[in-house]
Amino acid sequence: GRYAANEATLRMKMDLEDNNTQMWDLVAYRIMFKHHHRTGDTWCIYPTYDFTHCLCDSFENITHSLCTKEFFLSRQSYYWLCDAVEVYKPVQWEYSRLNVTNTLLSKRKIQALKTAGHITSLDDPRLYTLPALRRRGVPPQAINAFVRELGVTTSDTVIEVGRLENHIRGALNECAPRIMAAIHPLRVVLENLPESHFEELDVPYNPRDDSFGSRRVPFTRTLYIDRSDFRDVDSPDYFRLAPNKTVGLNSLAHPITCTGVRHAADGSISEVLCRYENEGSAPKPKSYIQWVADCPQRGSPVRIDEVRIYNQLFKSSSADEGSMKDVDPNSLEVVRGAVADVGLWDSIKRYAATAVGKKELGEHHVENLRFQFMRIGYFALDKDTELPLGAIEANKIEDAKLIMNRVVTLKEDSKKEA
């Protein structure tokens, strides 16, 4: 307590005549009267980064200290201190920072985003830090493949985020089971089927890979489709469901034809009336859509409490110091009331039945549960999900709260109407 903060420092005796400013007697210790998260208020003198960096690397037997190019001048002082105190000297290598379009990777700038309220946390899935990518549901093999493709360079480059997304799609295509889901569900009634109509279909999780297995999906008189798959007014370039139009249903032998529409008091579409073309001949459908049966006795539909649709955080591809003004206020869309077929809950139960799955779920690593929602995108459970192992083992989905993040969209077809 003899000196106040900033009144005295302890410097290293280096070489003031050296052309490298990092050799000009750098500060080793300074006085700071601040509470430390580990030692509390025990100390008021703390070492600097320049003093601790090389020594910690040495004590921990680090072979190569990898850092970005702004630390190039620090290499000389790094080696000098190791030699001065006669400890093992690791090798320092510099490389260029990995810059990706439409995002920021600087910790200082990310903290500024959080302070301004543009992101909810430091692992907000709109970021591209490793904790954020993990929470979003990005598999590690996608990140490894992306980095391998780029290699290590000292050139200043900015990588299109689409290259990373392509690796994410490739990795998820190999591991994600296919599920039928409706983000904005619209009720469909097949009028020519009796109220008691019930069938069960064996639907594969991946039609191209039998190792994924299959699930038993109910088919009933009442279904849900995604609202984007229906239009009240048809057009020649639209190939999904519309009045007097026929469309196929995935995994079903016969298509459906729209025969009528019911509207709510506010004018919105509340229900679509259709005919199941299981008798006679029907026009060959030009497209097929996903569907989810309304069959509570078979646990269908599986209701998703929240679906979080993440878009790019910034409107422009170049995110820099002035990007705070360029933050997209609509980068996160939260949708409630989405539904999925019984395969979603069945996949969760299958995962929980494995030794790895039980351990991961016990530690609440739910982001490893990833799915492809057919014709929509890839999704993973968010850490805000409430998924007790007891609820899974007792098959009580009502005790779970499912919150899903969109990891990445499917590949876009430029000719397809959105």
Side-chain angles (χ1 to χ4, degrees), residues 110-162:
I110 289 173
Q111 185 62 52
L113 286 172
K114 183 176 182 297
T115 302
H118 296 307
I119 57 176
T120 57
S121 61
L122 297 179
D123 65 349
D124 188 299
R126 286 167 290 185
L127 299 173
Y128 282 80
T129 60
L130 290 179
L133 289 173
R134 175 174 182 167
R135 179 178 178 181
R136 188 166 181 164
V138 174
Q141 55 266 37
I143 301 173
N144 291 335
F146 174 64
V147 173
R148 280 197 302 269
E149 179 186 81
L150 298 179
V152 179
T153 178
T154 56
S155 301
D156 292 325
T157 56
V158 179
I159 308 301
E160 288 290 333
V161 70

Short mmCIF file of all heavy atoms in Angstrom, two decimals, residues 110-162:
data_model
loop_
_atom_site.label_atom_id
_atom_site.label_comp_id
_atom_site.label_asym_id
_atom_site.label_seq_id
_atom_site.Cartn_x
_atom_site.Cartn_y
_atom_site.Cartn_z
N ILE A 110 -16.66 -7.67 -30.02
CA ILE A 110 -17.80 -8.50 -29.62
C ILE A 110 -18.35 -8.03 -28.28
O ILE A 110 -19.57 -7.99 -28.07
CB ILE A 110 -17.37 -9.98 -29.57
CG1 ILE A 110 -17.13 -10.50 -30.98
CG2 ILE A 110 -18.42 -10.83 -28.86
CD1 ILE A 110 -16.55 -11.91 -31.04
N GLN A 111 -17.46 -7.67 -27.36
CA GLN A 111 -17.91 -7.15 -26.07
C GLN A 111 -18.69 -5.86 -26.25
O GLN A 111 -19.70 -5.63 -25.56
CB GLN A 111 -16.71 -6.91 -25.15
CG GLN A 111 -17.09 -6.50 -23.73
CD GLN A 111 -17.90 -7.54 -23.00
OE1 GLN A 111 -17.50 -8.69 -22.92
NE2 GLN A 111 -19.06 -7.16 -22.46
N ALA A 112 -18.28 -5.03 -27.22
CA ALA A 112 -19.01 -3.79 -27.50
C ALA A 112 -20.41 -4.10 -28.03
O ALA A 112 -21.38 -3.40 -27.71
CB ALA A 112 -18.23 -2.94 -28.50
N LEU A 113 -20.54 -5.16 -28.84
CA LEU A 113 -21.85 -5.57 -29.34
C LEU A 113 -22.76 -5.98 -28.19
O LEU A 113 -23.96 -5.65 -28.17
CB LEU A 113 -21.71 -6.73 -30.33
CG LEU A 113 -21.17 -6.44 -31.72
CD1 LEU A 113 -20.93 -7.74 -32.47
CD2 LEU A 113 -22.14 -5.56 -32.51
N LYS A 114 -22.20 -6.71 -27.24
CA LYS A 114 -22.98 -7.16 -26.09
C LYS A 114 -23.40 -5.98 -25.23
O LYS A 114 -24.56 -5.88 -24.78
CB LYS A 114 -22.19 -8.17 -25.26
CG LYS A 114 -22.97 -8.75 -24.09
CD LYS A 114 -22.16 -9.81 -23.37
CE LYS A 114 -22.98 -10.43 -22.22
NZ LYS A 114 -23.32 -9.46 -21.18
N THR A 115 -22.47 -5.06 -24.99
CA THR A 115 -22.78 -3.88 -24.17
C THR A 115 -23.89 -3.05 -24.81
O THR A 115 -24.75 -2.51 -24.10
CB THR A 115 -21.51 -3.02 -24.00
OG1 THR A 115 -20.49 -3.82 -23.39
CG2 THR A 115 -21.79 -1.80 -23.12
N ALA A 116 -23.88 -2.98 -26.14
CA ALA A 116 -24.90 -2.20 -26.85
C ALA A 116 -26.22 -2.95 -26.98
O ALA A 116 -27.21 -2.39 -27.47
CB ALA A 116 -24.38 -1.83 -28.24
N GLY A 117 -26.26 -4.22 -26.55
CA GLY A 117 -27.51 -4.98 -26.59
C GLY A 117 -27.82 -5.61 -27.94
O GLY A 117 -28.93 -6.09 -28.15
N HIS A 118 -26.83 -5.65 -28.85
CA HIS A 118 -27.07 -6.24 -30.16
C HIS A 118 -27.01 -7.76 -30.13
O HIS A 118 -27.58 -8.43 -31.00
CB HIS A 118 -26.06 -5.71 -31.18
CG HIS A 118 -26.15 -4.24 -31.42
ND1 HIS A 118 -27.34 -3.63 -31.78
CD2 HIS A 118 -25.22 -3.25 -31.35
CE1 HIS A 118 -27.13 -2.32 -31.92
NE2 HIS A 118 -25.87 -2.07 -31.66
N ILE A 119 -26.30 -8.33 -29.14
CA ILE A 119 -26.27 -9.78 -28.95
C ILE A 119 -26.62 -10.07 -27.50
O ILE A 119 -26.50 -9.20 -26.64
CB ILE A 119 -24.89 -10.37 -29.31
CG1 ILE A 119 -23.78 -9.71 -28.47
CG2 ILE A 119 -24.60 -10.23 -30.79
CD1 ILE A 119 -22.41 -10.32 -28.69
N THR A 120 -27.05 -11.28 -27.23
CA THR A 120 -27.54 -11.61 -25.89
C THR A 120 -26.42 -12.11 -24.96
O THR A 120 -26.53 -11.98 -23.75
CB THR A 120 -28.62 -12.70 -25.98
OG1 THR A 120 -28.09 -13.84 -26.66
CG2 THR A 120 -29.83 -12.18 -26.76
N SER A 121 -25.37 -12.69 -25.55
CA SER A 121 -24.29 -13.26 -24.75
C SER A 121 -23.07 -13.42 -25.63
O SER A 121 -23.12 -13.21 -26.85
CB SER A 121 -24.71 -14.63 -24.17
OG SER A 121 -25.00 -15.53 -25.22
N LEU A 122 -21.95 -13.80 -25.01
CA LEU A 122 -20.72 -13.98 -25.77
C LEU A 122 -20.73 -15.27 -26.60
O LEU A 122 -19.85 -15.47 -27.43
CB LEU A 122 -19.51 -13.97 -24.83
CG LEU A 122 -19.30 -12.64 -24.08
CD1 LEU A 122 -18.09 -12.74 -23.16
CD2 LEU A 122 -19.12 -11.48 -25.06
N ASP A 123 -21.72 -16.15 -26.37
CA ASP A 123 -21.89 -17.32 -27.23
C ASP A 123 -23.17 -17.22 -28.05
O ASP A 123 -23.77 -18.23 -28.43
CB ASP A 123 -21.86 -18.62 -26.41
CG ASP A 123 -23.04 -18.73 -25.45
OD1 ASP A 123 -23.76 -17.73 -25.26
OD2 ASP A 123 -23.25 -19.83 -24.88
N ASP A 124 -23.59 -15.99 -28.32
CA ASP A 124 -24.76 -15.76 -29.17
C ASP A 124 -24.54 -16.46 -30.51
O ASP A 124 -23.50 -16.26 -31.16
CB ASP A 124 -24.97 -14.25 -29.38
CG ASP A 124 -26.28 -13.94 -30.07
OD1 ASP A 124 -26.47 -14.39 -31.23
OD2 ASP A 124 -27.11 -13.22 -29.50
N PRO A 125 -25.47 -17.32 -30.96
CA PRO A 125 -25.25 -18.09 -32.19
C PRO A 125 -25.08 -17.26 -33.46
O PRO A 125 -24.72 -17.82 -34.50
CB PRO A 125 -26.52 -18.96 -32.28
CG PRO A 125 -26.95 -19.12 -30.86
CD PRO A 125 -26.66 -17.78 -30.23
N ARG A 126 -25.32 -15.96 -33.40
CA ARG A 126 -25.07 -15.13 -34.58
C ARG A 126 -23.59 -14.80 -34.75
O ARG A 126 -23.17 -14.32 -35.80
CB ARG A 126 -25.88 -13.83 -34.48
CG ARG A 126 -27.36 -14.02 -34.73
CD ARG A 126 -28.16 -12.81 -34.33
NE ARG A 126 -28.21 -12.64 -32.88
CZ ARG A 126 -28.93 -11.72 -32.27
NH1 ARG A 126 -29.66 -10.87 -32.97
NH2 ARG A 126 -28.92 -11.64 -30.94
N LEU A 127 -22.79 -15.07 -33.73
CA LEU A 127 -21.35 -14.84 -33.81
C LEU A 127 -20.67 -16.05 -34.43
O LEU A 127 -21.28 -17.11 -34.59
CB LEU A 127 -20.79 -14.58 -32.41
CG LEU A 127 -21.34 -13.36 -31.66
CD1 LEU A 127 -20.81 -13.32 -30.24
CD2 LEU A 127 -20.99 -12.07 -32.40
N TYR A 128 -19.39 -15.88 -34.74
CA TYR A 128 -18.63 -16.98 -35.34
C TYR A 128 -17.43 -17.35 -34.48
O TYR A 128 -16.43 -17.85 -34.98
CB TYR A 128 -18.20 -16.60 -36.77
CG TYR A 128 -19.34 -16.74 -37.75
CD1 TYR A 128 -20.31 -15.74 -37.86
CD2 TYR A 128 -19.50 -17.88 -38.52
CE1 TYR A 128 -21.37 -15.87 -38.73
CE2 TYR A 128 -20.55 -18.02 -39.40
CZ TYR A 128 -21.49 -17.01 -39.50
OH TYR A 128 -22.54 -17.15 -40.36
N THR A 129 -17.54 -17.12 -33.18
CA THR A 129 -16.53 -17.64 -32.24
C THR A 129 -16.82 -19.12 -32.03
O THR A 129 -17.92 -19.60 -32.30
CB THR A 129 -16.61 -16.89 -30.91
OG1 THR A 129 -17.92 -17.09 -30.34
CG2 THR A 129 -16.37 -15.39 -31.10
N LEU A 130 -15.83 -19.85 -31.51
CA LEU A 130 -16.04 -21.29 -31.31
C LEU A 130 -17.18 -21.60 -30.34
O LEU A 130 -17.99 -22.49 -30.60
CB LEU A 130 -14.73 -21.94 -30.84
CG LEU A 130 -13.62 -22.01 -31.89
CD1 LEU A 130 -12.37 -22.64 -31.30
CD2 LEU A 130 -14.07 -22.77 -33.13
N PRO A 131 -17.30 -20.88 -29.19
CA PRO A 131 -18.45 -21.15 -28.31
C PRO A 131 -19.78 -20.87 -28.99
O PRO A 131 -20.76 -21.61 -28.78
CB PRO A 131 -18.21 -20.21 -27.12
CG PRO A 131 -16.74 -19.94 -27.12
CD PRO A 131 -16.36 -19.92 -28.56
N ALA A 132 -19.84 -19.82 -29.81
CA ALA A 132 -21.10 -19.48 -30.50
C ALA A 132 -21.43 -20.52 -31.57
O ALA A 132 -22.60 -20.92 -31.72
CB ALA A 132 -20.99 -18.09 -31.11
N LEU A 133 -20.42 -20.96 -32.32
CA LEU A 133 -20.66 -21.98 -33.35
C LEU A 133 -21.11 -23.29 -32.72
O LEU A 133 -21.99 -23.97 -33.24
CB LEU A 133 -19.40 -22.19 -34.18
CG LEU A 133 -19.01 -21.04 -35.11
CD1 LEU A 133 -17.65 -21.32 -35.75
CD2 LEU A 133 -20.06 -20.82 -36.19
N ARG A 134 -20.51 -23.63 -31.58
CA ARG A 134 -20.92 -24.86 -30.90
C ARG A 134 -22.36 -24.76 -30.43
O ARG A 134 -23.15 -25.71 -30.61
CB ARG A 134 -20.00 -25.13 -29.70
CG ARG A 134 -20.46 -26.34 -28.89
CD ARG A 134 -19.48 -26.70 -27.79
NE ARG A 134 -19.94 -27.87 -27.07
CZ ARG A 134 -19.19 -28.58 -26.23
NH1 ARG A 134 -17.94 -28.23 -26.00
NH2 ARG A 134 -19.68 -29.62 -25.61
N ARG A 135 -22.73 -23.64 -29.84
CA ARG A 135 -24.10 -23.48 -29.37
C ARG A 135 -25.08 -23.51 -30.54
O ARG A 135 -26.20 -24.04 -30.42
CB ARG A 135 -24.25 -22.15 -28.62
CG ARG A 135 -25.67 -21.91 -28.12
CD ARG A 135 -25.81 -20.63 -27.34
NE ARG A 135 -27.18 -20.42 -26.93
CZ ARG A 135 -27.61 -19.36 -26.25
NH1 ARG A 135 -26.74 -18.42 -25.88
NH2 ARG A 135 -28.88 -19.25 -25.92
N ARG A 136 -24.69 -22.97 -31.66
CA ARG A 136 -25.57 -22.96 -32.83
C ARG A 136 -25.81 -24.37 -33.36
O ARG A 136 -26.83 -24.63 -34.00
CB ARG A 136 -24.94 -22.08 -33.92
CG ARG A 136 -25.84 -21.81 -35.10
CD ARG A 136 -25.28 -20.69 -35.94
NE ARG A 136 -26.10 -20.38 -37.08
CZ ARG A 136 -26.01 -19.27 -37.79
NH1 ARG A 136 -25.12 -18.35 -37.45
NH2 ARG A 136 -26.78 -19.05 -38.83
N GLY A 137 -24.86 -25.28 -33.09
CA GLY A 137 -25.02 -26.65 -33.55
C GLY A 137 -24.07 -27.03 -34.67
O GLY A 137 -24.23 -28.09 -35.28
N VAL A 138 -23.06 -26.19 -34.94
CA VAL A 138 -22.09 -26.49 -35.99
C VAL A 138 -21.20 -27.64 -35.54
O VAL A 138 -20.58 -27.57 -34.47
CB VAL A 138 -21.24 -25.24 -36.30
CG1 VAL A 138 -20.14 -25.59 -37.30
CG2 VAL A 138 -22.12 -24.13 -36.84
N PRO A 139 -21.10 -28.72 -36.31
CA PRO A 139 -20.25 -29.85 -35.91
C PRO A 139 -18.77 -29.49 -36.04
O PRO A 139 -18.38 -28.76 -36.95
CB PRO A 139 -20.64 -30.96 -36.89
CG PRO A 139 -21.25 -30.27 -38.05
CD PRO A 139 -21.86 -29.00 -37.54
N PRO A 140 -17.93 -29.99 -35.14
CA PRO A 140 -16.50 -29.64 -35.18
C PRO A 140 -15.81 -30.04 -36.47
O PRO A 140 -14.89 -29.36 -36.93
CB PRO A 140 -15.92 -30.38 -33.97
CG PRO A 140 -16.93 -31.41 -33.61
CD PRO A 140 -18.25 -30.86 -34.01
N GLN A 141 -16.26 -31.13 -37.11
CA GLN A 141 -15.61 -31.57 -38.34
C GLN A 141 -15.79 -30.54 -39.47
O GLN A 141 -14.95 -30.46 -40.37
CB GLN A 141 -16.10 -32.94 -38.78
CG GLN A 141 -17.61 -33.09 -38.96
CD GLN A 141 -18.29 -33.61 -37.72
OE1 GLN A 141 -17.91 -33.25 -36.61
NE2 GLN A 141 -19.28 -34.48 -37.90
N ALA A 142 -16.87 -29.75 -39.41
CA ALA A 142 -17.08 -28.71 -40.42
C ALA A 142 -16.05 -27.60 -40.25
O ALA A 142 -15.51 -27.08 -41.24
CB ALA A 142 -18.49 -28.16 -40.32
N ILE A 143 -15.79 -27.22 -39.01
CA ILE A 143 -14.80 -26.16 -38.74
C ILE A 143 -13.41 -26.66 -39.13
O ILE A 143 -12.62 -25.92 -39.75
CB ILE A 143 -14.84 -25.75 -37.26
CG1 ILE A 143 -16.24 -25.24 -36.91
CG2 ILE A 143 -13.79 -24.69 -36.96
CD1 ILE A 143 -16.44 -24.97 -35.43
N ASN A 144 -13.08 -27.90 -38.79
CA ASN A 144 -11.77 -28.46 -39.14
C ASN A 144 -11.58 -28.49 -40.65
O ASN A 144 -10.49 -28.16 -41.16
CB ASN A 144 -11.62 -29.86 -38.56
CG ASN A 144 -11.51 -29.85 -37.04
OD1 ASN A 144 -11.09 -28.87 -36.46
ND2 ASN A 144 -11.89 -30.95 -36.42
N ALA A 145 -12.61 -28.89 -41.39
CA ALA A 145 -12.50 -28.95 -42.85
C ALA A 145 -12.33 -27.55 -43.44
O ALA A 145 -11.57 -27.35 -44.40
CB ALA A 145 -13.75 -29.62 -43.44
N PHE A 146 -13.03 -26.58 -42.88
CA PHE A 146 -12.93 -25.18 -43.33
C PHE A 146 -11.51 -24.66 -43.14
O PHE A 146 -10.91 -24.06 -44.04
CB PHE A 146 -13.94 -24.33 -42.55
CG PHE A 146 -13.86 -22.86 -42.81
CD1 PHE A 146 -14.13 -22.33 -44.06
CD2 PHE A 146 -13.53 -21.98 -41.77
CE1 PHE A 146 -14.06 -20.96 -44.29
CE2 PHE A 146 -13.46 -20.62 -41.99
CZ PHE A 146 -13.73 -20.11 -43.25
N VAL A 147 -10.93 -24.92 -41.97
CA VAL A 147 -9.58 -24.44 -41.68
C VAL A 147 -8.55 -25.16 -42.54
O VAL A 147 -7.60 -24.55 -43.04
CB VAL A 147 -9.27 -24.62 -40.18
CG1 VAL A 147 -7.81 -24.28 -39.89
CG2 VAL A 147 -10.18 -23.72 -39.34
N ARG A 148 -8.74 -26.46 -42.74
CA ARG A 148 -7.81 -27.20 -43.61
C ARG A 148 -7.82 -26.66 -45.03
O ARG A 148 -6.79 -26.58 -45.69
CB ARG A 148 -8.17 -28.69 -43.62
CG ARG A 148 -7.67 -29.47 -42.42
CD ARG A 148 -7.70 -30.97 -42.68
NE ARG A 148 -9.05 -31.41 -43.02
CZ ARG A 148 -9.94 -31.85 -42.14
NH1 ARG A 148 -9.62 -31.88 -40.85
NH2 ARG A 148 -11.13 -32.25 -42.51
N GLU A 149 -8.99 -26.30 -45.51
CA GLU A 149 -9.10 -25.77 -46.86
C GLU A 149 -8.36 -24.44 -47.00
O GLU A 149 -7.72 -24.17 -48.01
CB GLU A 149 -10.58 -25.57 -47.23
CG GLU A 149 -10.81 -24.99 -48.61
CD GLU A 149 -12.27 -24.68 -48.87
OE1 GLU A 149 -12.74 -23.62 -48.41
OE2 GLU A 149 -12.94 -25.50 -49.52
N LEU A 150 -8.44 -23.60 -45.97
CA LEU A 150 -7.81 -22.28 -46.04
C LEU A 150 -6.31 -22.35 -45.84
O LEU A 150 -5.55 -21.60 -46.47
CB LEU A 150 -8.42 -21.37 -44.96
CG LEU A 150 -9.90 -21.07 -45.06
CD1 LEU A 150 -10.33 -20.19 -43.90
CD2 LEU A 150 -10.23 -20.39 -46.38
N GLY A 151 -5.85 -23.23 -44.97
CA GLY A 151 -4.45 -23.28 -44.63
C GLY A 151 -4.07 -22.11 -43.74
O GLY A 151 -4.91 -21.32 -43.30
N VAL A 152 -2.76 -21.98 -43.48
CA VAL A 152 -2.24 -20.90 -42.64
C VAL A 152 -1.43 -19.97 -43.51
O VAL A 152 -0.57 -20.42 -44.28
CB VAL A 152 -1.38 -21.46 -41.48
CG1 VAL A 152 -0.82 -20.33 -40.64
CG2 VAL A 152 -2.20 -22.41 -40.62
N THR A 153 -1.67 -18.67 -43.41
CA THR A 153 -0.99 -17.70 -44.25
C THR A 153 -0.72 -16.43 -43.46
O THR A 153 -1.36 -16.18 -42.44
CB THR A 153 -1.84 -17.37 -45.50
OG1 THR A 153 -1.17 -16.39 -46.29
CG2 THR A 153 -3.21 -16.84 -45.10
N THR A 154 0.22 -15.64 -43.96
CA THR A 154 0.47 -14.32 -43.36
C THR A 154 -0.16 -13.22 -44.20
O THR A 154 -0.02 -12.04 -43.89
CB THR A 154 1.98 -14.06 -43.24
OG1 THR A 154 2.60 -14.21 -44.53
CG2 THR A 154 2.61 -15.03 -42.25
N SER A 155 -0.85 -13.60 -45.27
CA SER A 155 -1.53 -12.61 -46.11
C SER A 155 -2.84 -12.18 -45.46
O SER A 155 -3.53 -12.99 -44.84
CB SER A 155 -1.81 -13.20 -47.49
OG SER A 155 -0.62 -13.61 -48.12
N ASP A 156 -3.17 -10.91 -45.62
CA ASP A 156 -4.44 -10.40 -45.09
C ASP A 156 -5.56 -10.77 -46.03
O ASP A 156 -5.60 -10.32 -47.20
CB ASP A 156 -4.36 -8.88 -44.92
CG ASP A 156 -3.39 -8.46 -43.84
OD1 ASP A 156 -3.30 -9.19 -42.84
OD2 ASP A 156 -2.72 -7.43 -43.99
N THR A 157 -6.47 -11.61 -45.58
CA THR A 157 -7.57 -12.07 -46.41
C THR A 157 -8.88 -12.00 -45.65
O THR A 157 -8.90 -12.05 -44.42
CB THR A 157 -7.34 -13.52 -46.88
OG1 THR A 157 -7.15 -14.35 -45.72
CG2 THR A 157 -6.13 -13.63 -47.78
N VAL A 158 -9.96 -11.88 -46.39
CA VAL A 158 -11.31 -11.94 -45.83
C VAL A 158 -12.04 -13.06 -46.55
O VAL A 158 -12.19 -13.04 -47.77
CB VAL A 158 -12.06 -10.60 -46.00
CG1 VAL A 158 -13.47 -10.71 -45.42
CG2 VAL A 158 -11.30 -9.47 -45.34
N ILE A 159 -12.49 -14.06 -45.80
CA ILE A 159 -13.09 -15.26 -46.37
C ILE A 159 -14.61 -15.11 -46.39
O ILE A 159 -15.23 -14.69 -45.41
CB ILE A 159 -12.70 -16.51 -45.56
CG1 ILE A 159 -11.18 -16.58 -45.39
CG2 ILE A 159 -13.23 -17.77 -46.24
CD1 ILE A 159 -10.40 -16.63 -46.68
N GLU A 160 -15.21 -15.46 -47.53
CA GLU A 160 -16.67 -15.43 -47.64
C GLU A 160 -17.28 -16.43 -46.67
O GLU A 160 -16.86 -17.59 -46.61
CB GLU A 160 -17.10 -15.77 -49.07
CG GLU A 160 -16.84 -14.69 -50.09
CD GLU A 160 -17.75 -13.48 -49.89
OE1 GLU A 160 -18.85 -13.66 -49.35
OE2 GLU A 160 -17.34 -12.37 -50.28
N VAL A 161 -18.27 -15.98 -45.90
CA VAL A 161 -18.89 -16.85 -44.91
C VAL A 161 -19.58 -18.05 -45.58
O VAL A 161 -19.75 -19.10 -44.97
CB VAL A 161 -19.90 -16.04 -44.06
CG1 VAL A 161 -21.12 -15.64 -44.87
CG2 VAL A 161 -20.32 -16.82 -42.82
N GLY A 162 -19.93 -17.90 -46.86
CA GLY A 162 -20.55 -19.00 -47.58
C GLY A 162 -19.66 -20.23 -47.68
O GLY A 162 -20.16 -21.36 -47.75
#
